[in-house]
């Protein structure tokens, strides 16, 4: 475990705010497993639980950006493992659309990311949050972030 | 403003008027309290609009913690409760029940995870963790205000059970359920029930003959009138939900009529084809038509069509005329209330990586192969011989942790290898005292009753234990002996040893079929690739799917008593549903607002459960047939909601406004710093 790496972020205070949508069965469980395994990660992500990644609506994603998210994460079960048969297949299709719109909005591609994380992949979850946080720290706050919002 | 509607226990609508939120922050001992400044969090949350009371408890889930919630509901007339603690995956039901006792709708609970998602992962960033906890709870409070009452529904349970896998765990589950009077279907993919245990020679720590204790149990299963064995069969499709699973089972063709076959094995005698005998781990041969093993249940032959040369000698030899070369697979549709998965495992295969020379040198074998050689019914009649020259070995080396506790293969401990290696060495030593045994181990793990005693017995018998892992294994090209270089880490010296036979203690790994069963039953897999239980401590045989239970090694390495206990545990858990004949299902479903629905039908193909139907008749006087969600079929994933172009579909408990309340409250305006 690279917990030392996680303890590193002593940068001048700014911590990105990342909205992470997690499905109840896999990625939310993955975040729980990260906790159980004490996989340290930057305190940047705020998890919002939905039952299935298929429930993650473009409306939710765009609102997150408009409210001030520096990045939005769409996560769910691995393809083939969806608790609801194939909700994540539909997420994948929607995600393509989302990606395009986000690019149209002039946001960097790092700001919207998709990842399949199973309930046992705690370390993967932690690494994902750490990686995204580092990427976002490099590119700075979202240009859409309203003034005064943290 | 008034909660005065006197509609007794289920006055789910303690909902009228003002939202009065109580927030209960748990310290979880020091798990949360040691990192997050809970006092500061509670103080801040107390300033949020609608929050009438906040409370910090050492353990909110304890009796006193729950009493605190109940008292405060009463004192402050709360109608929404936010618990900020561990994971809803484990504790949501506890607190739902707690507030329900106070007459609140159970869906008025919002659970915020500030342990697994906060204090545990930001252990050295206390301030940031505290700020994050504030954010998370603020999100929860705003969502809580928008929560709506829902009614969990009751579904009838068919009082029949399906057990998948007839190893010792599955058999135990089937027997217990059958003895309680329930009809059980026991599906086994092999031609005989019995599982892996049927192949062991003797079992630790008592060294009982494995098949001698398992055989009677297999017969007991076959005789039990409540158990229907479906051997040589596989589950192909599972549909439905708790209480009402529709299962399709495929019966692979045995190419003979099981009602006529007597298991006399005359057919095998005349069959000219010989193939490696899988039951003996590939040692020796069997015929293309064969009885799996002498104690097989059902005791019926099976024709292996892949290797059959269609000479029809067996058909002539069979006196009962059972052979049927044109047999097709058969299918049975079952309706059951519960499913128990006892799908077993396989042992790690060292061949692809040639671990310790396996697959390169004849005299390196696996423990399962050793087990079959030891067995009196095995290929050598119980004489352990080395494969290169069939001589009985004198110097036998054992390597532990092959495919276990190794970053290159599997990091977990398989739990049973220490003990079976100890047992194997003992057994050979007892048979042939002149043999010399060296067990090369990393740690010896003997946790349960009689295990340490068995280890001591081995030592007393003269089995040598060497702490170290072979760094080099080579074959002597002339003698075919195995030369091992190993560091004795206790004596701190390099040893060069020569063995006549080297036995690898291969660990437990998932078999190929596990993915299929995982997908059919919609289960999760754990990091070891085996199936995942609902809670590692408190719900070890439940799964996240209501009505589906797991027994045996399918959910992690186990020894036999543990697997048997789990079989019984599954039966007991399943009985709760089977006996009550009803199950409570989640109230979370999709809901259509017919006033908004345009009847476009986009949602229909979104649903993998066919839970959305178009109405037969137009809605009111609109002339439009609207979509309609069949609640019993809806699993509440919400995928259709996202597809609805008009916003007519909503997912209860995850309505857009509820999710957006969380999204918005991730953020706040920065307070002016003086």
């Amino acid at each position: 475990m690279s917990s030392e790496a996680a303890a590193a972020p002593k940068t001048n205070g700014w911590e990105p705010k990342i909205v992470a949508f997690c499905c109840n069965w896999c990625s939310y469980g993955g975040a729980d497993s990260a906790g159980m395994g004490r996989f340290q990660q930057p305190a940047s992500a705020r998890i919002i639980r939905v039952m299935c990644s298929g429930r993650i609506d473009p409306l939710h994603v765009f609102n997150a950006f408009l409210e001030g998210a520096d990045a939005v994460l769409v996560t769910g079960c691995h393809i083939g493992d969806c608790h609801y048969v194939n909700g994540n297949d539909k997420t994948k299709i929607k995600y393509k659309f989302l990606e395009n719109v986000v690019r149209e909005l002039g946001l960097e591609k790092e700001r919207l990311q998709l990842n399949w994380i199973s309930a046992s992949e705690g370390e993967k979850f932690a690494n994902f949050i750490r990686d995204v946080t580092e990427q976002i720290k490099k590119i700075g706050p979202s240009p859409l972030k309203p003034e005064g919002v943290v | 403003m008034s909660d005065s509607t006197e509609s007794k226990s289920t006055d789910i609508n303690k909902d009228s008027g003002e939202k009065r939120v109580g927030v209960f922050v748990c310290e979880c001992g020091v798990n949360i309290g040691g990192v997050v400044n809970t006092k500061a969090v509670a103080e801040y949350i107390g300033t949020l609009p609608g929050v009438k009371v906040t409370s910090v408890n050492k353990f909110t889930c304890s009796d006193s913690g729950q009493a605190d919630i109940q008292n405060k509901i009463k004192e402050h007339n709360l109608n929404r409760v936010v618990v900020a603690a561990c994971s809803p995956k484990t504790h949501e039901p506890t607190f739902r029940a707690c507030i329900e006792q106070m007459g609140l709708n159970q869906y008025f609970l919002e659970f915020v995870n500030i342990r697994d998602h906060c204090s545990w992962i930001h252990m050295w960033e206390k301030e940031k963790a505290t700020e994050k906890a504030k954010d998370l709870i603020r999100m929860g409070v705003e969502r809580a205000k928008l929560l709506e009452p829902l009614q969990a529904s009751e579904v009838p349970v068919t009082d029949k059970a399906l057990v998948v896998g007839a190893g010792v765990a599955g058999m135990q589950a089937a027997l217990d359920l059958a003895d309680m009077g329930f009809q059980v279907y026991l599906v086994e993919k092999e031609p005989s029930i019995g599982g892996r245990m049927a192949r062991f020679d003797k079992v630790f720590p008592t060294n009982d003959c494995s098949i001698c204790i398992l055989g009677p149990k297999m017969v007991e299963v076959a005789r039990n009138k409540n158990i229907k064995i479906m051997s040589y069969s596989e589950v192909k499709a599972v549909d439905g939900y708790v209480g009402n699973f529709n299962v399709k089972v495929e019966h692979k063709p045995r190419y003979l009529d099981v009602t006529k076959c007597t298991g006399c094995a005359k057919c095998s005698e005349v069959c000219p084809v010989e193939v490696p005998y899988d039951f003996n781990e590939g040692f020796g041969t069997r015929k293309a038509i064969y009885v799996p093993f002498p104690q097989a249940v059902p005791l019926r032959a099976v024709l292996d069509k892949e290797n059959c040369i269609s000479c029809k000698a067996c058909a002539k030899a069979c006196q009962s005329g059972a052979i049927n070369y044109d047999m097709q697979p058969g299918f049975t549709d079952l309706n059951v209330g519960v499913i128990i998965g006892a799908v077993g495992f396989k042992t790690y295969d060292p061949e692809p990586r040639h671990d310790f020379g396996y697959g390169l040198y004849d005299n390196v074998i696996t423990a399962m192969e050793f087990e079959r050689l030891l067995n009196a019914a095995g290929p050598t009649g119980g004489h352990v011989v080395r494969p290169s020259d069939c001589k009985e070995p004198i110097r036998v080396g054992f390597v532990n942790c092959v495919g276990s506790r190794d970053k290159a293969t599997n990091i977990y401990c398989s739990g049973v290898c220490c003990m079976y290696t100890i047992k194997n060495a003992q057994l050979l030593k007892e048979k042939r005292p002149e043999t010399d045994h060296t067990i090369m181990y990393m740690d010896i793990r003997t946790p349960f009753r009689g295990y340490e005693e068995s280890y001591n017995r081995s030592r007393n018998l003269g089995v040598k234990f060497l702490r170290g892992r072979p760094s080099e294994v080579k074959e002597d090209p002339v003698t075919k002996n195995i030369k091992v270089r190993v560091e004795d880490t206790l004596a701190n010296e390099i040893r060069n040893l020569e063995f006549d036979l080297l036995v690898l203690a291969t660990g437990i790994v998932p078999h190929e079929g596990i993915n299929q069963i995982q997908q059919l039953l919609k289960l999760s897999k754990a990091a070891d690739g085996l199936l995942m239980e609902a809670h590692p401590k408190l719900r070890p045989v439940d799964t996240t799917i209501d009505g589906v239970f797991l027994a045996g090694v399918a959910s992690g390495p186990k020894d036999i008593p543990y697997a048997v206990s789990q079989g019984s545990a599954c039966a007991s858990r399943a009985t709760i549903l089977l006996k009550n004949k009803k199950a409570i299902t989640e109230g979370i479903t999709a809901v259509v607002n017919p006033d908004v629905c345009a009847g476009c039908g986009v949602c229909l193909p979104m649903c993998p459960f066919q839970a959305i139907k178009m109405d037969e008749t137009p809605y009111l006087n609109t002339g439009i047939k609207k979509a309609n969600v069949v609640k019993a079929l809806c699993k509440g994933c919400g995928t259709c909601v996202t597809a609805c172009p008009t916003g007519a579909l909503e997912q209860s408990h995850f309505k857009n406004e509820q999710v957006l309340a969380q999204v918005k409250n991730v953020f706040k305006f920065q307070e002016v710093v003086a």
Side-chain angles (χ1 to χ4, degrees), chain A residues 15 17 24 32 83 90 148, chain B residues 87 89 128 545 606 670:
Chain A
E15 188 80 60
K17 265 206 176 163
N24 183 58
D32 279 1
H83 184 80
K90 291 152 196 161
Chain B
S87 175
K89 307 240 328 168
K128 283 185 179 169
I545 310 299
M606 287 298 119
Q670 184 139 38

Side-chain angles (χ1 to χ4, degrees), chain B residues 400-473:
Chain B
N400 275 13
C401 304
V402 180
S404 311
R405 303 185 66 202
D406 179 0
K407 276 189 180 159
T409 55
N410 299 303
I411 56 162
Y412 56 87
C413 170
S414 292
V416 290
C417 321
C418 286
M419 284 308 299
Y420 75 59
T421 301
I422 287 169
K423 173 213 68 172
N424 283 346
Q426 256 175 40
L427 291 175
L428 186 55
K429 186 81 185 169
E430 283 169 355
K431 264 191 186 167
R432 293 179 38 233
E434 72 277 17
T435 51
D436 183 72
H437 301 271
T438 307
I439 296 180
M440 287 160 277
Y441 67 97
M442 298 208 280
D443 297 288
I444 290 289
R445 298 182 168 179
T446 60
F448 298 112
R449 176 183 285 164
Y451 289 17
E452 183 71 8
E453 291 85 335
S454 176
Y455 166 59
N456 288 333
R457 213 166 85 78
S458 286
R459 296 200 82 116
N460 293 338
L461 275 169
V463 174
K464 291 177 214 147
F465 288 80
L466 188 157
R467 204 187 101 181
R469 203 164 167 79
S471 55
E472 189 180 72
V473 176

Side-chain angles (χ1 to χ4, degrees), chain B residues 438 464 466 484-488 491 493-497:
Chain B
T438 307
K464 291 177 214 147
L466 188 157
V484 173
R485 190 174 163 86
V486 53
E487 183 187 354
D488 182 339
E493 60 184 38
I494 303 291
R495 307 267 296 271
N496 290 299
L497 305 172

Side-chain angles (χ1 to χ4, degrees), chain A:
Chain A
M1 153 166 82
S2 43
S3 52
E4 295 78 13
K10 278 171 194 149
T11 37
N12 26 358
W14 182 66
E15 188 80 60
K17 265 206 176 163
I18 298 169
V19 176
F21 291 101
C22 289
C23 79
N24 183 58
W25 305 99
C26 294
S27 50
Y28 191 92
D32 279 1
S33 295
M36 274 183 254
R38 310 296 194 276
F39 293 115
Q40 302 300 300
Q41 48 191 281
S44 52
R46 305 289 180 268
I47 288 174
I48 294 175
R49 177 168 67 133
V50 288
M51 295 309 283
C52 177
S53 65
R55 175 70 184 101
I56 302 167
D57 199 306
L59 181 76
H60 307 153
V61 175
F62 296 136
N63 262 283
F65 280 122
L66 291 176
E67 293 291 333
D70 296 304
V72 176
L73 309 179
V74 175
T75 66
C77 307
H78 287 274
I79 297 294
D81 288 355
C82 178
H83 184 80
Y84 304 103
V85 185
N86 53 16
N88 50 4
D89 286 328
K90 291 152 196 161
T91 308
K92 214 164 118 184
I93 297 165
K94 253 173 288 180
Y95 183 78
K96 271 192 190 150
F97 157 77
L98 275 172
E99 251 183 339
N100 285 333
V101 179
V102 163
R103 207 172 304 142
E104 292 284 306
L105 286 171
L107 292 175
E108 299 87 339
K109 65 175 184 347
E110 290 87 346
R111 298 204 190 271
L112 178 69
Q113 300 201 26
L114 173 75
N115 209 337
W116 308 130
I117 300 169
S118 82
S120 61
E121 292 174 327
E123 193 167 14
K124 181 176 178 185
F125 190 94
N127 289 340
F128 181 47
I129 298 296
R130 187 178 313 121
D131 291 349
V132 175
T133 307
E134 276 163 20
Q135 290 164 14
I136 299 300
K137 278 192 171 169
K138 268 183 212 145
I139 60 174
S142 161
L144 294 183
K145 195 190 275 282
E147 212 166 312
V149 160
V150 288

